[in-house]
Amino acid sequence: MEATIITIGDEILIGQIVDTNSVSIARHLETAGIVVREKIAIGDNARQIVSTLERALHSSHVVILTGGLGPTKDDITKKTLAGFFGGGMRCDERVADHVRRMLESRGIPFNDLNRSQAEVPENCSVLFNTYGTAPGMWFERDGHIIVSLPGVPYEMEHLMQDEVMPRLKARFTLKQIIHRTMITSGLAESMLAETIAGWENALPSYLKLAYLPNPGAVRLRLSAYEVEGESVSQEIEQQFETLRTIIPHYVIGYETASVQELIHNTLLERNLSLATAESCTGGTIASRFTALPGASAYFRCGVVAYSNQAKAEVLGVDPAAIRRFGAVSEEVARQMAEGARRIAGSDYAIATTGIAGPTGGTDEKPVGTVWIAVATPEHTVAVVKQCGSDRGQVIDRASSMAISLLREELLKRE
Amino acid sequence: MEATIITIGDEILIGQIVDTNSVSIARHLETAGIVVREKIAIGDNARQIVSTLERALHSSHVVILTGGLGPTKDDITKKTLAGFFGGGMRCDERVADHVRRMLESRGIPFNDLNRSQAEVPENCSVLFNTYGTAPGMWFERDGHIIVSLPGVPYEMEHLMQDEVMPRLKARFTLKQIIHRTMITSGLAESMLAETIAGWENALPSYLKLAYLPNPGAVRLRLSAYEVEGESVSQEIEQQFETLRTIIPHYVIGYETASVQELIHNTLLERNLSLATAESCTGGTIASRFTALPGASAYFRCGVVAYSNQAKAEVLGVDPAAIRRFGAVSEEVARQMAEGARRIAGSDYAIATTGIAGPTGGTDEKPVGTVWIAVATPEHTVAVVKQCGSDRGQVIDRASSMAISLLREELLKRE
């Protein structure tokens, strides 16, 4: 069973927004055993919507569209679909009532534009959108399913989860897609590939191996598409077991868990707590942990100590150390980590101080230089890393490397 | 001049990563006057790469591919392109030297896999990748340009900027694409559309209006595609001037600037400083400001006070207030903002405290309830907002709403 995802909106094509909807839709489909064949983004253009939909129906049983369902003139998906399926429009009273109530609760008058949101093509089933004003729509043609969802991410997400997936599962007998990912750290991609070449060449043909290099880690993903029963899962487990014996020191985890998710689980299991003291990463490390449900059980406090004054007054860094070594130095990173651990009363603390750029670099400490420290109950470790030249890249890499350093310290105590 | 962007990689299709490369490529092309017609994501599958490329060449003069250029077996883009253009492979000595030196500097031995990265199709021009080991490739066929770039974001970015765009500009006479965005706040999308309907209906046909609703703001984008000269820019300016007279109280800014970028500029211009005290938003507000180059001039300190102890000890919130009103309360939000302002010695401070979920909600304070406070040199304001039901959504919306509240306070002092 194959699917195509079509994202509609000029804002995607001109690079004004990042498309996260298709990521979420793909995950839902894959988890249920539907292979995503292609993802396509097109503009708010009726002819292009029709031709793309026609082509998608040639290669896929299921087509999910998202976007272009707003009440304003620039959104044309609904009318275009009504034309495509050759019917008129009808007013859905349940949707009309819902939109009216929703707007009234926010003190917004119900006008003609809102009323038009309750108009749907005659030949669709309405997917009721509890969280928003634009309903989802479900069409069938020659055994193919076409679904149109609003572009607002959480409205789309709830409709996929509560309406679309249950209907697809009821409608089709789906096989399984299995992805399992091993996370390695410490071997460059080419070295890793050379080291495991014998194992890779002996893999059965229905298992597909992918290398996913990231700062500080290379992930190995084994995938099997449209298989049945438990035997393939077991085969993947056994293959990873064999691989672990080949590179025992480089395997740091499994699944699609990020390093922060692995740490999150470890801290919860061991009942340990965490604090952060960030300069150049500016809150990114704290936000990565606090994005995970349950983080409040271990995340005590984070300090974004951007100014030297904040480093000294909030974290207790010695101003003389800042003067002598500079804010971007091993000594300051260590004192920041220790200060965060002390004021939060936590077991562990991570600190970063570096030059994110684009300005502020020197010959000795160019843009991208970041000192990272981790304070533990036993000691404090610090390393310096070169994290690139672009501000976003430096923040992202320094955050990942700091989180990896914490992971190494947690592993030492296993 | 039209372009298609093709992203290659199973990890995109299965939803394992978010595609930001095509966003960045689209921006480069649009800025230079090349209209992005379609963005397509496909898997590491030779037949699909070829058929997608053939189709893209029918509708576009320029096709940019990204991804699938790694040294490992799963990456097949380079060989597939060599086959597509009907030539063999050659070793590029300059690339080979660069890869060898790059790996040596990181202590990684140069092996056969790395050597294969210097192999390129005979009929391409190499786009030298200073920042990575996989070279970019430039092909021409029947006046069409096909460019293949690595998937690592900052390598792709530098190649687009330093190699691809200068060549495209030299090769073609490009027209202009003009997008200008007005940011409004305070009118729901349907109300706004109703209010400005007369203006919208009178727009000249070559100007395209789009509504982009976001939490706390609706953006209006006017676009003109492939136009020449300055007159269209002036027309857009005049249209926005007229619009401003229709909704004078709801226009909060222009261009693609986010609300934090507007504040960033205001704080820099007025030489004011900022601090943050975040509970449920977990560092997201701090990271949005510190992502902007130059934020160190005004961003003093952020505290992610997740535990009650951190709220009391680091920010000086009265523990009795936490016991009496709860951590998610107006009183605690106010004290957090005032505490952050005090310890950072800043002019302004933002605070958030709420229930991000999925657990922790009660009948009285359901998941999504967030108290937001802003402390200014004159006073402290606080509001309570319902920010949704999904953890990521609550964090995102609460951050946006808190930043908008700061913006309102800054406007009062204009």
Side-chain angles (χ1 to χ4, degrees):
Chain A
M1 178 75 53
E2 294 197 327
T4 296
I5 301 169
I6 302 176
T7 309
I8 299 169
D10 290 344
E11 63 276 20
I12 306 273
L13 289 185
I14 68 173
Q16 194 164 22
I17 68 163
V18 176
D19 166 31
T20 53
N21 279 359
S22 69
V23 176
S24 159
I25 293 170
R27 282 189 196 153
H28 279 291
L29 295 172
E30 285 275 330
T31 305
I34 298 171
V35 181
V36 177
R37 191 190 141 71
E38 196 171 358
K39 300 199 319 191
I40 309 172
I42 54 176
D44 298 296
N45 175 309
R47 262 198 309 183
Q48 208 181 4
I49 293 174
V50 168
S51 67
T52 304
L53 183 53
E54 271 170 354
R55 198 168 54 76
L57 286 171
H58 275 293
S59 60
S60 295
H61 275 83
V62 176
V63 180
I64 313 275
L65 301 100
T66 172
L69 297 184
T72 52
K73 279 192 186 172
D74 51 319
D75 283 338
I76 57 167
T77 303
K78 196 157 64 178
K79 278 188 185 157
T80 305
L81 289 176
F84 183 82
F85 290 102
M89 303 287 278
R90 67 175 180 87
C91 180
D92 187 295
E93 287 305 328
R94 187 173 168 222
V95 172
D97 283 352
H98 166 69
V99 173
R100 187 182 290 108
R101 273 201 306 273
M102 201 159 180
L103 294 174
E104 275 169 6
S105 77
R106 292 166 56 198
I108 301 169
F110 182 76
N111 66 14
D112 284 349
L113 283 174
N114 302 126
R115 205 179 316 273
S116 77
Q117 298 212 272
E119 299 276 325
V120 294
E122 279 167 354
N123 38 18
C124 81
S125 311
V126 166
L127 305 176
F128 193 76
N129 180 1
T130 315
Y131 296 87
T133 53
M137 293 167 280
W138 172 284
F139 301 87
E140 303 210 11
R141 173 186 272 188
D142 306 333
H144 290 57
I145 306 296
I146 302 94
V147 176
S148 170
L149 300 174
V152 180
Y154 65 96
E155 297 177 20
M156 175 285 301
E157 178 64 29
H158 282 286
L159 282 170
M160 272 307 284
Q161 186 177 302
D162 303 337
E163 301 290 336
V164 179
M165 294 318 301
R167 282 165 206 240
L168 287 176
K169 285 175 190 167
R171 183 79 169 64
F172 299 106
T173 306
L174 299 168
K175 295 186 176 179
Q176 281 183 282
I177 301 172
I178 302 166
H179 299 292
R180 207 156 137 67
T181 303
M182 172 188 270
I183 310 164
T184 75
S185 185
L187 273 180
E189 186 185 17
S190 55
M191 283 295 292
L192 177 64
E194 193 176 66
T195 309
I196 68 172
W199 172 85
E200 179 175 354
N201 292 331
L203 283 173
S205 61
Y206 60 86
L207 291 185
K208 204 171 169 186
L209 178 70
Y211 288 78
L212 307 165
N214 276 126
V218 178
R219 292 172 181 206
L220 296 170
R221 189 187 65 233
L222 276 177
S223 303
Y225 285 90
E226 301 204 81
V227 292
E228 287 181 89
E230 285 304 297
S231 62
V232 176
S233 292
Q234 286 163 16
E235 174 68 29
I236 291 181
E237 299 288 342
Q238 280 169 16
Q239 290 293 348
F240 271 150
E241 268 312 297
T242 309
L243 183 54
R244 200 188 240 285
T245 63
I246 301 168
I247 48 167
H249 304 303
Y250 302 108
V251 179
I252 64 167
Y254 286 97
E255 292 300 345
T256 55
S258 56
V259 181
Q260 56 267 28
E261 283 171 304
L262 298 171
I263 293 173
H264 175 92
N265 294 334
T266 303
L267 295 175
L268 290 175
E269 277 162 22
R270 298 195 206 162
N271 196 25
L272 295 168
S273 59
L274 178 65
T276 55
E278 303 181 63
S279 185
C280 64
T281 53
T284 299
I285 297 174
S287 69
R288 287 196 191 171
F289 284 105
T290 57
L292 306 171
S296 56
Y298 63 82
F299 193 88
R300 293 278 175 83
C301 181
V303 175
V304 182
Y306 233 52
S307 67
N308 286 343
Q309 188 205 343
K311 290 182 182 78
E313 291 181 13
V314 182
L315 291 169
V317 175
D318 178 7
I322 298 177
R323 279 196 301 275
R324 182 163 170 205
F325 303 108
V328 178
S329 63
E330 174 169 3
E331 187 56 32
V332 170
R334 284 176 177 274
Q335 290 192 21
M336 286 172 68
E338 289 162 8
R341 189 171 171 269
R342 187 175 58 245
I343 64 168
S346 64
D347 299 301
Y348 286 81
I350 311 180
T352 59
T353 178
I355 299 152
T359 60
T362 63
D363 282 352
E364 204 192 334
K365 294 175 185 174
V367 167
T369 306
V370 182
W371 273 98
I372 296 167
V374 170
T376 79
E378 290 86 30
H379 61 198
T380 301
V381 292
V383 293
V384 64
K385 295 281 182 184
Q386 173 45 244
C387 297
S389 51
D390 167 80
R391 187 175 179 93
Q393 180 195 356
V394 171
I395 293 171
D396 184 47
R397 284 186 149 194
S399 299
S400 295
M401 286 174 172
I403 291 169
S404 291
L405 185 62
L406 170 61
R407 167 100 186 145
E408 285 172 29
E409 287 303 311
L410 284 168
L411 285 176
K412 284 184 191 162
R413 291 184 83 202
E414 252 178 353
Chain B
M1 177 77 51
E2 295 199 325
T4 296
I5 301 170
I6 303 175
T7 308
I8 299 169
D10 290 343
E11 64 276 19
I12 305 274
L13 288 186
I14 69 173
Q16 194 162 23
I17 68 163
V18 176
D19 167 30
T20 54
N21 279 0
S22 69
V23 176
S24 160
I25 293 170
R27 285 190 194 151
H28 278 292
L29 295 172
E30 284 276 330
T31 306
I34 299 172
V35 181
V36 177
R37 192 190 141 71
E38 197 171 0
K39 301 199 317 191
I40 310 171
I42 53 176
D44 298 295
N45 175 310
R47 264 197 309 184
Q48 208 181 1
I49 293 173
V50 168
S51 67
T52 305
L53 183 53
E54 272 170 353
R55 197 168 55 76
L57 286 171
H58 276 292
S59 60
S60 296
H61 275 84
V62 175
V63 180
I64 312 275
L65 302 101
T66 172
L69 297 183
T72 53
K73 277 191 186 173
D74 52 319
D75 283 337
I76 58 166
T77 303
K78 194 157 66 178
K79 276 188 184 157
T80 305
L81 289 175
F84 183 83
F85 290 102
M89 303 287 278
R90 66 174 180 86
C91 181
D92 189 295
E93 287 305 326
R94 186 173 167 223
V95 173
D97 282 353
H98 165 68
V99 173
R100 187 183 289 111
R101 273 199 307 272
M102 201 160 180
L103 294 173
E104 275 170 6
S105 77
R106 292 166 56 197
I108 300 168
F110 182 76
N111 66 15
D112 284 350
L113 283 172
N114 303 125
R115 204 180 315 272
S116 76
Q117 298 212 269
E119 300 275 325
V120 293
E122 280 168 354
N123 36 19
C124 81
S125 310
V126 166
L127 305 177
F128 192 76
N129 179 0
T130 314
Y131 295 87
T133 54
M137 292 167 283
W138 173 284
F139 301 87
E140 303 211 11
R141 172 187 272 188
D142 305 332
H144 291 58
I145 305 296
I146 303 94
V147 176
S148 169
L149 298 175
V152 179
Y154 65 95
E155 296 177 22
M156 175 284 301
E157 178 65 29
H158 281 287
L159 282 170
M160 272 307 284
Q161 185 176 304
D162 303 338
E163 302 289 337
V164 178
M165 294 317 302
R167 281 167 208 241
L168 286 175
K169 286 175 189 166
R171 184 79 168 63
F172 299 105
T173 306
L174 299 169
K175 294 186 176 177
Q176 280 184 284
I177 300 173
I178 301 167
H179 299 292
R180 204 156 139 70
T181 304
M182 172 187 270
I183 310 165
T184 75
S185 187
L187 272 180
E189 187 184 17
S190 54
M191 284 294 292
L192 177 64
E194 194 176 65
T195 310
I196 69 173
W199 172 85
E200 180 175 355
N201 291 332
L203 282 173
S205 61
Y206 59 86
L207 291 185
K208 204 170 169 186
L209 178 70
Y211 289 78
L212 306 164
N214 275 129
V218 178
R219 293 173 180 206
L220 295 170
R221 190 188 62 233
L222 276 178
S223 303
Y225 287 90
E226 302 203 80
V227 291
E228 286 180 89
E230 285 303 298
S231 62
V232 177
S233 294
Q234 285 162 15
E235 174 69 28
I236 291 181
E237 300 288 341
Q238 280 168 17
Q239 289 293 347
F240 272 149
E241 269 312 297
T242 308
L243 183 54
R244 199 188 239 284
T245 63
I246 302 169
I247 47 169
H249 303 303
Y250 303 108
V251 179
I252 64 167
Y254 286 98
E255 292 300 347
T256 55
S258 56
V259 182
Q260 57 266 27
E261 283 170 307
L262 298 172
I263 294 174
H264 174 94
N265 294 334
T266 303
L267 295 176
L268 289 175
E269 278 162 21
R270 299 195 206 161
N271 197 24
L272 295 167
S273 58
L274 179 64
T276 55
E278 303 181 63
S279 185
C280 65
T281 53
T284 299
I285 297 173
S287 68
R288 286 195 191 170
F289 284 106
T290 58
L292 306 171
S296 57
Y298 63 83
F299 193 88
R300 292 279 174 83
C301 181
V303 175
V304 182
Y306 234 53
S307 67
N308 286 342
Q309 188 205 343
K311 289 182 183 75
E313 292 182 11
V314 182
L315 291 170
V317 175
D318 178 8
I322 299 177
R323 277 195 302 276
R324 181 161 171 210
F325 303 106
V328 178
S329 63
E330 173 169 5
E331 187 55 34
V332 170
R334 284 178 177 274
Q335 290 193 21
M336 286 172 69
E338 288 163 8
R341 190 172 170 269
R342 187 174 58 244
I343 65 167
S346 64
D347 299 301
Y348 288 80
I350 310 179
T352 59
T353 179
I355 299 152
T359 60
T362 62
D363 282 350
E364 202 192 335
K365 295 176 185 172
V367 167
T369 307
V370 182
W371 273 98
I372 296 168
V374 169
T376 80
E378 290 84 31
H379 59 197
T380 301
V381 293
V383 293
V384 64
K385 296 281 182 183
Q386 173 46 242
C387 298
S389 51
D390 168 79
R391 186 176 179 91
Q393 181 195 352
V394 173
I395 292 172
D396 185 45
R397 285 185 148 193
S399 299
S400 296
M401 287 173 170
I403 292 169
S404 291
L405 185 62
L406 171 60
R407 167 103 186 142
E408 286 172 29
E409 287 302 312
L410 284 168
L411 285 176
K412 284 184 194 163
R413 293 186 81 203
E414 251 177 353

